[in-house]
Structure formats: structure tokens, C-alpha cells
């Protein structure tokens, strides 16, 4: 009961029939669980074979935007539609996309995953992509709030620190979130410390999640932590938290869902410990089950059934979208 969703990776995908069967088996246990995947396009695309279209990187869309803005917006919308429609046809509810980080040129972990260096360009391209996703019945997740593009360090292996002040970050990196606050189903905070704002990483910061994202920007969707398995994820005020304590800290800071990836291997003992810890925390009053969080979680799920893969392949909207992608 403490499990809100399942995230799939490339290792979980052999072919469409297999992954569809896997998802149906999961739903047989929990019909209302969210099945998600980190599927952005470019180098972050988990399903690439057996009919899945190869989606361009977001930078490719940004480069097109500088040459032909109207065409780029149309293509971005078609990318969003293909991305979401294909995933939904095999049973996936949700993808952690789009990246809203600005491309400052120094971050290798972000790099071509970002649309552009301009906050305005990022916002308008992301809005077009989200529109396409919504046409296929899927909402999007903006990441990595308030911005991961300025720091060089990779939070998969280190804890990045951004020394800029709040005014500068709000004026630049946060602008896409302000523009898209009503369009996003979820936001994923960065595993980055913004040292002039808070000593805690953004994903563990009530100031960033509560005061800025919720109160100042008016965001009402779900907040989902980035992967808490990352090396730099659980360093809080000089301490390295256990996975269990990291999950609790993320939820207590304002996250609705805590993402723990790559821990289901070798029997999944880490996940068992986390889930047992959550149950204990609820019983002892350290953590409350939040009805609002559950409503936000459920809002991430599609509201209407998706067409089968066969029906999708024959649909006019899908074929037109593929034609647009072929010209990128």
C-alpha cells in the first residue's frame, strides 16, 4: 500500500508484447498504480525497438526553433504526441518529461536534453510538447526544479552546488516553471544545493517546494523526487541519509512521491526496507498519509483508455506525426 507507482527501465523491455504483459501483470495486483518510464527522446529513451519511433533530442527541437519557430513548435507537438501515444499503447501511464533546464553549456548530464539556453524558448517549446502529450492522454513532468543546467557536477555521482542568488535563479531558470505551472502534471526537483537560498538540496527543501513552487508559482500538481538512489541524492547538511530516511525527508519536505530507482535487483531488499520504514513512520506519527498527495498522484493517470498498438499504427494522427518527425 505504500507503493505509489512503478518505474520501468530499458532492462525491463525486451519487446512490446513482453512489456505489455508485464504491465498487465502489475495492474492485476494494483489496478490504480502508476506505471511510468523516463522517456524523453534523444539519449534518454528507454524503449527504442520493436516499432517505437526514435525521438529527437530536445536540443534538436531548440535548434530547429532558431531557424523556423512555427515549424519547430509543430514538430515539438508531434514529438510529444508520438512519445505519449506509443507509451500508452503498451500500458504506460506517465513519462518524466520534459526537461526544463536551461542549457548553459557546462552540464554534461543535461546537455542536449535541454531545449535551449533561453528560458522563453524552453517555455514555448515545452508547452508545445506538452500539448502533444495531452492529445494522447498523458500529462507531463517538468524537471529539474528550480534548474540543473547551470551546475557542472552530475548529481548521479556528486552533490552539485549552485552559488547564485534567489533573484537570479527566479529571473532565469524558474521562468519556464512559472509559465507552465498550469500545464504540468508534476514537477521533479533537482538534486542540487542552491547555497544562497537553502542548505538543503531543492528536493529536500520546504522553502523551494513550499514557498517558491507551491505558494509563489501556484503549482498544484504532484511533486516527485528525483531518483534517491543517486550518489549525490541524500546528502543533507553534511550527512548522508539512508535510503529510508531519504525517502521520509523528501516526503516531509513536500514531495508527494519519492522515486527510488535501480533497487529492485538482487531481491529488492532496499525497497522492502524503505516500504517497511514508511509503514512504521505512519504508525508512529512521523509521516502522515496525505489525501491531497493521493489526489495529485491519481491525477497523473490517464482519464481515458488508450488505443491498442495496432489501432494507433493505423490512426491518421499518428501517421501524420511520424511524417513530421521524419523531416527533423
Amino acid at each position: 500500500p505504500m507503493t505509489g507507482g512503478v518505474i520501468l527501465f530499458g532492462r525491463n523491455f525486451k519487446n512490446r508484447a513482453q512489456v505489455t504483459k508485464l504491465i498487465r501483470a502489475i495492474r492485476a495486483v494494483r489496478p490504480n498504480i502508476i506505471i511510468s518510464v523516463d522517456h524523453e527522446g534523444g539519449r534518454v529513451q528507454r524503449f527504442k525497438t520493436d516499432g517505437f519511433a526514435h525521438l529527437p533530442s530536445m536540443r534538436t527541437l531548440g535548434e530547429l526553433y532558431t531557424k523556423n519557430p512555427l515549424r519547430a513548435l509543430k514538430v515539438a507537438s508531434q514529438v510529444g504526441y508520438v512519445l505519449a501515444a506509443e507509451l500508452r499503447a503498451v500500458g504506460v501511464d506517465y513519462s518524466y518529461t520534459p526537461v526544463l533546464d536551461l542549457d548553459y553549456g557546462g552540464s554534461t548530464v543535461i546537455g542536449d536534453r535541454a531545449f535551449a539556453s533561453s528560458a522563453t524558448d524552453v517555455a514555448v517549446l515545452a508547452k508545445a510538447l506538452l500539448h502533444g502529450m495531452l492529445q494522447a492522454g498523458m500529462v507531463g513532468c517538468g524537471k529539474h526544479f528550480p534548474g540543473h543546467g547551470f551546475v557542472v557536477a552530475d548529481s548521479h555521482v556528486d552533490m552539485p552546488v549552485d552559488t547564485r542568488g534567489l533573484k537570479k535563479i527566479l529571473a532565469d531558470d524558474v521562468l519556464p516553471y512559472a509559465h507552465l505551472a498550469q500545464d504540468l502534471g508534476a514537477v521533479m526537483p533537482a538534486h542540487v544545493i542552491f547555497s544562497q537560498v537553502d542548505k538543503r538540496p531543492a528536493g529536500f527543501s520546504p522553502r523551494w517546494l513550499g514557498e517558491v513552487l507551491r505558494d509563489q508559482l501556484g503549482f498544484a500538481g504532484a511533486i516527485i523526487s528525483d531518483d534517491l538512489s543517486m550518489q549525490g541524492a541524500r546528502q543533507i547538511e553534511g550527512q548522508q541519509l539512508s535510503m529510508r530516511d531519504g525517502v521520509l525527508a523528501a516526503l516531509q519536505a513536500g514531495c508527494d512521491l519519492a522515486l527510488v530507482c535501480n533497487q529492485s535487483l538482487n531481491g529488492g531488499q532496499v525497497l522492502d526496507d524503505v516500504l517497511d520504514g514508511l509503514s512504521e513512520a505512519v504508525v508512529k506519527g512521523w509521516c502522515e498519509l496525505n489525501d491531497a498527495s493521493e489526489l495529485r498522484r491519481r491525477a497523473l493517470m490517464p482519464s481515458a483508455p488508450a488505443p491498442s498498438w495496432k489501432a494507433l499504427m493505423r490512426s491518421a494522427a499518428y501517421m501524420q506525426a511520424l511524417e513530421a518527425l521524419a523531416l527533423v
Side-chain angles (χ1 to χ4, degrees), residues 290-304:
N290 191 317
D291 290 341
S293 285
E294 173 60 9
L295 289 175
R296 287 191 283 262
R297 184 192 75 85
R298 287 176 179 262
L300 299 177
M301 301 184 71
S303 58

Side-chain angles (χ1 to χ4, degrees), residues 12 22 28 93 135 159 168 173 211 231 252 283 301 318:
N12 303 117
L22 170 64
D93 300 310
Q135 286 183 312
M159 175 51 73
K168 180 66 174 172
D173 302 61
E211 294 178 21
Q231 188 68 28
Q252 290 165 347
V283 169
M301 301 184 71
Y318 180 77

Side-chain angles (χ1 to χ4, degrees), residues 199-222:
K199 294 182 291 185
R200 291 182 163 225
F204 299 97
S205 168
R207 184 173 186 192
W208 278 117
L209 303 185
E211 294 178 21
V212 179
L213 184 57
R214 290 282 190 221
D215 297 340
Q216 190 169 337
L217 301 186
F219 178 67

Side-chain angles (χ1 to χ4, degrees), residues 29-242:
V29 180
R30 282 278 300 281
N32 69 345
I33 202 163
I34 295 175
I35 308 295
S36 64
V37 66
D38 207 0
H39 198 87
E40 303 169 6
R43 58 191 163 101
V44 181
Q45 182 175 340
R46 305 307 183 196
F47 307 160
K48 299 180 180 179
T49 59
D50 201 9
F52 276 87
H54 284 218
L55 302 170
S57 69
M58 299 304 100
R59 176 183 286 172
T60 299
L61 298 178
E63 290 171 346
L64 180 60
Y65 186 75
T66 63
K67 301 172 185 175
N68 190 331
L70 290 178
R71 172 158 176 74
L73 294 176
K74 181 178 179 180
V75 172
S77 181
Q78 301 287 38
V79 169
Y81 176 77
V82 170
L83 182 157
E86 290 183 347
L87 291 178
R88 290 210 58 211
V90 297
V92 174
D93 300 310
Y94 189 73
S95 175
Y96 301 96
T97 191
V99 169
L100 299 182
D101 301 315
L102 307 188
D103 182 10
Y104 286 94
S107 173
T108 56
V109 70
I110 301 301
D112 63 358
R113 297 166 66 194
F115 288 102
S117 58
S118 159
T120 300
D121 292 358
V122 169
V124 296
L125 284 163
K127 191 176 182 71
L129 186 92
L130 289 165
H131 175 71
M133 292 175 65
L134 197 59
Q135 286 183 312
M138 184 181 290
V139 295
C141 177
K143 61 187 186 183
H144 307 82
F145 178 82
H148 202 307
F150 188 79
V151 293
V152 175
D154 180 354
S155 56
H156 290 83
V157 295
D158 200 359
M159 175 51 73
V161 178
D162 190 329
T163 58
R164 295 176 299 161
L166 178 61
K167 185 176 180 181
K168 180 66 174 172
I169 298 167
L170 291 175
D172 297 329
D173 302 61
V174 172
L175 280 183
Y177 295 93
H179 182 68
L180 299 168
Q182 308 306 317
D183 299 282
L184 293 165
V187 164
M188 178 180 287
H191 289 322
V192 176
I193 295 173
F194 299 86
S195 56
Q196 290 198 42
V197 182
D198 197 335
K199 294 182 291 185
R200 291 182 163 225
F204 299 97
S205 168
R207 184 173 186 192
W208 278 117
L209 303 185
E211 294 178 21
V212 179
L213 184 57
R214 290 282 190 221
D215 297 340
Q216 190 169 337
L217 301 186
F219 178 67
I223 301 177
I224 307 174
S225 84
D226 203 348
D227 177 17
L228 296 175
S229 304
M230 292 183 192
Q231 188 68 28
R234 304 183 312 279
Q235 296 178 25
I236 300 181
E237 298 182 35
Q239 292 186 327
Q240 182 72 34
L241 299 185
S242 67

